[in-house]
Amino acid sequence: MNWLSSSQGVVLTAYHPSGKDQAVGGNHGEEATSSRKYGQYTMNQEITKVPEKPPFDRSSSQDSLDELSMETYWTEIENIEKSSENRQDQEVVVVKEPDEGELEEEWLKEAGLSNLFGESAGDPQESMVFLSTLTRTQAAAVQKRVETVSQTLRKKNKQYQIPDVRDIFAQQRESKEKAPDGNDSQSVRTNENKYQGKDDQASSLAVGEKELIPLVPEEAPASETDINLVVSFAEQAANQKESSKEKAQKSKDGDANFRLPKDKTGTTRIGDLAPQDMKKVCNLAFIELTALCDIWGIELKQQKAVKIKTKDSGLFCIPLTVLLEQDQRKVPGTRIPLIFQKLISRIEEGGLETEGLLRIPGAAIRIKNLCQELEAKFYEGTFNWESVKQHDAASLLKLFIRELPQPLLSVEYLRAFQAVQHLPTRKQQLQALNLLVILLPDANRDMLKALLEFLQRVIDNREKNKMTTMNVAMVMAPNLFMCHTLGLKSSEQREFVMAAGTASIMHLMIKHQQLLWTIPKFIVNQVRKQNTENHKKDKKAMKKLLKKMAYDREKYEKQDKSTSDADVPQGVIRVQAPHLSKVSMAIQLTEELKASDVLARFLSQESGIAQTLKKGEVFLYEIGGNIGERCLDDDTYMMDLYQLNPNAEWVIKSKPS
């Protein structure tokens, strides 16, 4: 649901800041004296600032712009205005102001906790397992919204029962205490979980009121440039805030080269998990993002956009999902719009060394004519791509992104992407961006990934094309962060703040894009814990059913045990490869054995057609146990993963398209 927007917003009022409205900190006086007029575009953003900060105090997102001219950014705005003069007017999205309490209701629905209120509120047991895996800060975020919804619905005299939030968490705590201390509790404990407590909460916190144990390491992180994926981002922020290290940290990570530390159980990326687990990841990422913003007093409000009538065929101004459905009829399985792919190819065919690539626009009239010709001839295959100049192709690419009826960063999360600039450190900004990328719809996320990879290839040729990361960021930010279909208004001063902030966020997304597609380990561990608790619940239900039906429970337990053991000796795993000639192989685990080694053993025994299989066409999967399905990266240490999930099956297969 659309929770991260507001009934109020900010329209980029399309005027260059004047001298009377000085830029933040007064460092952009040269640009501020300009009086050029620009088009009208929405910067759909309205946030509650961190209380400790003055409204326009320079944030860390602007620090890197101090010595850089914003002229590139404003020139791009001017180019956008010129290209828009001949554009057909699109219907403006109607923004509905949320009713009292509606914001929190939508939040709970998005978090997968809608059964805590409404007609199903009488039996909140379904959410107990989920709540039991939340961190301290995640639980606080949930509790805050539940309390608001409860109070609002009571005021409205709703007939159905609203459970008291204290009762919900008390029930969860009680069920945890009653749980038998069997051998399931070790399901998510690994040697690497040294930061967590000694009980069965290896990746989570108790959700009690006084007994909350923060998920933070006792020792300092390995490096200030490491992105810690083991500990909740919000917990890290809370610990930093409580330790009064904000100012010191802020000066440290100004332009740090952040990296991911190696994880012996394997790095999990978007696309590696089964859909049912990915849904849980999204619910947790949603709560985690809110908790992180709550720490710093950044309120992410909701906007409900009424659907507008859009074209149902063509290339430009078409909803992304409709365009992909259209393309998939031509090329089954395609995940990136064909026109988008072709425009990138055309730009690269002209050579990425061209000076001013992406910055120098094509002629507006020529771009308009090319659009019309593409609409008529692209799918027929009769369009003459040789006639398209490189700068025209780049302008068409930006136009395509800009003209999407709903922004590439999505209506739901556009404001959240903009609000990232108000987090106090670059590390936290990057962590928030990571969570936001996880939350994007699949189609938006896939296209964003293709775009960022292309932009990096442009930057790799910066010695000749003169397009540094910041230059590219300033050119692309207006195209991603502005939305002409949302009719809202802004002040010029806020316009400049948003310009600097969104350019800086764009810079972070390009520079650290590899981190954005990683699913944090603490979230994966929370999913493992949820799965373990659900298995225990299902197992109890099955035993109860068998007992009721007078079956031999002991026989069932023996069968259950045999399915997981499968007569495999301790320290040995059996790997299945149903599509290869060697369909099964027992492999002895060692400390140094990696997933890539297991694959190599199978592929080395292939012959004939199967021998042509290349690295990257088949993967080793961890299936079952405390995970639905997970594709393993090559550097996964199998012994460590086996200890984390001893009941998993190991299968070699290709990735679904």
Side-chain angles (χ1 to χ4, degrees):
M1 300 300 293
N2 306 338
W3 73 283
L4 287 175
S5 304
S6 166
S7 60
Q8 298 179 337
V10 176
V11 171
L12 184 55
T13 324
Y15 289 93
H16 199 287
S18 62
K20 64 180 179 180
D21 282 325
Q22 286 189 340
V24 179
N27 292 331
H28 299 274
E30 185 177 338
E31 290 83 1
T33 59
S34 173
S35 60
R36 289 178 302 191
K37 184 174 180 180
Y38 298 100
Q40 192 169 12
Y41 292 88
T42 298
M43 300 296 284
N44 179 26
Q45 193 269 349
E46 179 69 38
I47 71 157
T48 300
K49 296 290 192 330
V50 180
E52 297 92 329
K53 284 186 167 185
F56 295 104
D57 186 22
R58 177 169 299 278
S59 69
S60 62
S61 65
Q62 296 161 317
D63 290 343
S64 60
L65 300 175
D66 281 343
E67 297 178 3
L68 286 171
S69 169
M70 288 291 292
E71 190 64 26
T72 301
Y73 184 98
W74 302 116
T75 300
E76 181 65 15
I77 295 288
E78 188 172 23
N79 294 334
I80 291 173
E81 167 64 10
K82 287 178 181 177
S83 71
S84 302
E85 289 174 358
N86 298 311
R87 173 174 53 81
Q88 292 181 352
D89 289 335
Q90 286 183 288
E91 197 171 345
V92 174
V93 174
V94 179
V95 177
K96 179 181 179 293
E97 184 173 354
D99 297 330
E100 185 183 6
E102 191 177 28
L103 184 70
E104 285 76 14
E105 284 190 41
E106 295 297 336
W107 188 93
L108 288 167
K109 286 178 184 177
E110 190 75 7
L113 292 168
S114 57
N115 64 334
L116 292 183
F117 66 95
E119 295 176 359
S120 60
D123 181 19
Q125 292 299 324
E126 289 180 45
S127 298
M128 294 306 102
V129 167
F130 183 82
L131 293 171
S132 72
T133 68
L134 299 184
T135 65
R136 173 188 62 175
T137 47
Q138 289 171 353
V142 172
Q143 185 166 334
K144 179 180 176 182
R145 275 81 191 171
V146 170
E147 286 174 343
T148 303
V149 171
S150 299
Q151 291 168 8
T152 303
L153 294 181
R154 286 194 182 101
K155 284 180 186 176
K156 292 181 178 181
N157 296 317
K158 293 287 185 181
Q159 295 302 309
Y160 48 79
Q161 181 186 359
I162 303 298
D164 190 290
V165 67
R166 291 168 296 183
D167 296 336
I168 293 172
F169 287 105
Q171 288 179 46
Q172 179 271 316
R173 194 162 60 250
E174 188 177 323
S175 64
K176 183 181 278 288
E177 290 168 359
K178 288 182 179 178
D181 48 353
N183 39 8
D184 296 292
S185 62
Q186 63 180 0
S187 58
V188 292
R189 186 181 300 127
T190 69
N191 295 336
E192 294 171 280
N193 286 331
K194 56 188 176 183
Y195 297 144
Q196 283 83 354
K198 297 179 181 179
D199 59 355
D200 65 343
Q201 300 168 30
S203 66
S204 65
L205 298 162
V207 198
E209 295 173 18
K210 297 292 185 182
E211 302 99 12
L212 296 171
I213 307 168
L215 237 181
V216 288
E218 293 180 3
E219 60 269 54
S223 167
E224 65 183 31
T225 57
D226 279 349
I227 297 294
N228 187 340
L229 299 181
V230 177
V231 179
S232 156
F233 297 155
E235 289 294 327
Q236 293 179 49
N239 187 55
Q240 172 192 321
K241 192 172 184 180
E242 290 164 8
S243 303
S244 301
K245 292 180 180 177
E246 179 184 354
K247 292 182 180 178
Q249 181 67 23
K250 194 169 181 178
S251 62
K252 286 180 183 177
D253 72 354
D255 196 29
N257 186 25
F258 297 111
R259 61 178 180 268
L260 286 175
K262 288 289 185 181
D263 183 349
K264 296 193 79 174
T265 60
T267 300
T268 306
R269 295 181 178 85
I270 294 171
D272 286 349
L273 295 178
Q276 67 269 25
D277 282 342
M278 193 61 199
K279 184 177 180 181
K280 295 171 186 172
V281 166
C282 289
N283 289 340
L284 289 162
F286 179 82
I287 296 172
E288 178 69 14
L289 177 65
T290 307
L292 179 60
C293 290
D294 281 356
I295 295 295
W296 299 110
I298 299 173
E299 185 177 358
L300 300 168
K301 296 182 181 178
Q302 180 186 15
Q303 170 179 295
K304 276 194 167 184
V306 178
K307 288 184 179 179
I308 58 173
K309 187 176 180 180
T310 56
K311 295 194 299 181
D312 55 6
S313 64
L315 295 175
F316 296 88
C317 309
I318 305 295
L320 191 51
T321 51
V322 174
L323 185 60
L324 282 173
E325 288 171 6
Q326 187 175 272
D327 287 351
Q328 286 164 358
R329 289 193 286 270
K330 298 279 185 182
V331 182
T334 189
R335 299 178 64 173
I336 311 295
L338 297 178
I339 181 65
F340 188 75
Q341 295 183 46
K342 186 60 183 176
L343 287 169
I344 287 177
S345 297
R346 183 59 191 152
I347 296 168
E348 293 186 329
E349 284 169 8
L352 296 179
E353 300 87 3
T354 304
E355 187 169 340
L357 189 60
L358 294 176
R359 179 174 54 80
I360 299 174
I365 296 298
R366 194 164 62 238
I367 298 302
K368 179 188 175 185
N369 293 335
L370 284 170
C371 281
Q372 293 173 346
E373 194 176 349
L374 277 166
E375 293 277 9
K377 299 180 179 179
F378 178 73
Y379 285 115
E380 293 178 2
T382 57
F383 181 78
N384 180 18
W385 282 100
E386 297 299 322
S387 66
V388 181
K389 298 178 180 179
Q390 191 182 35
H391 290 300
D392 290 348
S395 292
L396 285 167
L397 182 78
K398 292 186 290 185
L399 179 68
F400 174 79
I401 295 168
R402 209 165 55 242
E403 295 289 286
L404 288 169
Q406 295 192 356
L408 181 60
L409 300 180
S410 80
V411 170
E412 292 88 341
Y413 302 114
L414 178 61
R415 289 186 67 254
F417 274 98
Q418 294 167 345
V420 164
Q421 64 178 296
H422 296 281
L423 290 168
T425 70
R426 288 198 180 280
K427 183 180 287 188
Q428 287 172 21
Q429 291 172 3
L430 189 55
Q431 290 169 338
L433 288 171
N434 180 202
L435 296 170
L436 281 165
V437 167
I438 290 172
L439 289 169
L440 283 176
D442 291 347
N444 300 60
R445 192 196 300 129
D446 291 339
M447 185 172 150
L448 178 63
K449 189 172 192 291
L451 174 64
L452 293 179
E453 288 172 348
F454 163 68
L455 296 179
Q456 185 57 57
R457 294 195 293 273
V458 172
I459 292 163
D460 289 342
N461 290 273
R462 59 188 171 275
E463 293 296 328
K464 293 185 178 179
N465 62 31
K466 310 302 180 187
M467 295 300 290
T468 64
T469 305
M470 186 51 79
N471 287 337
V472 171
M474 285 193 287
V475 167
M476 294 306 300
N479 294 280
L480 263 75
F481 286 93
M482 295 179 186
C483 184
H484 58 265
T485 58
L486 299 174
L488 307 167
K489 293 191 175 181
S490 167
S491 69
E492 292 177 12
Q493 191 172 25
R494 184 174 290 162
E495 168 194 340
F496 198 94
V497 173
M498 287 304 298
T502 54
S504 183
I505 293 306
M506 192 74 220
H507 181 279
L508 267 182
M509 290 170 66
I510 298 170
K511 183 176 179 181
H512 299 292
Q513 58 184 279
Q514 294 302 320
L515 308 185
L516 300 182
W517 269 261
T518 302
I519 301 177
K521 182 174 180 178
F522 73 88
I523 289 181
V524 177
N525 279 350
Q526 286 179 291
V527 171
R528 289 185 186 275
K529 179 148 178 103
Q530 284 183 40
N531 290 337
T532 299
E533 295 299 321
N534 283 326
H535 290 333
K536 285 160 67 174
K537 187 177 175 183
D538 293 343
K539 201 170 180 180
K540 284 179 185 176
M542 179 61 74
K543 286 182 179 179
K544 188 175 181 180
L545 178 64
L546 292 171
K547 186 176 182 181
K548 188 175 181 181
M549 297 173 67
Y551 279 102
D552 187 349
R553 289 175 60 200
E554 189 177 338
K555 179 180 179 181
Y556 163 73
E557 288 170 357
K558 285 181 179 178
Q559 288 175 344
D560 185 58
K561 186 177 179 181
S562 65
T563 56
S564 60
D565 292 349
D567 299 324
V568 178
Q570 187 70 22
V572 174
I573 59 172
R574 182 163 293 280
V575 181
Q576 308 292 330
H579 303 299
L580 301 182
S581 57
K582 183 78 173 177
V583 296
S584 178
M585 184 186 297
I587 295 180
Q588 177 69 52
L589 294 174
T590 65
E591 292 286 344
E592 299 302 318
L593 183 73
K594 295 183 181 180
S596 57
D597 301 324
V598 175
L599 277 171
R601 292 190 194 183
F602 273 86
L603 296 179
S604 66
Q605 298 189 25
E606 292 302 302
S607 58
I609 298 176
Q611 199 170 25
T612 62
L613 283 171
K614 297 176 183 177
K615 183 180 177 182
E617 291 184 2
V618 291
F619 302 87
L620 179 59
Y621 277 79
E622 165 196 6
I623 299 176
N626 55 41
I627 203 78
E629 181 175 292
R630 175 173 171 254
C631 181
L632 306 183
D633 71 54
D634 286 346
D635 290 330
T636 303
Y637 284 83
M638 297 306 297
M639 177 76 82
D640 294 85
L641 183 56
Y642 174 77
Q643 291 171 354
L644 176 64
N645 192 5
N647 295 321
E649 295 180 359
W650 313 96
V651 179
I652 293 175
K653 61 175 187 172
S654 58
K655 240 182 184 177
S657 59

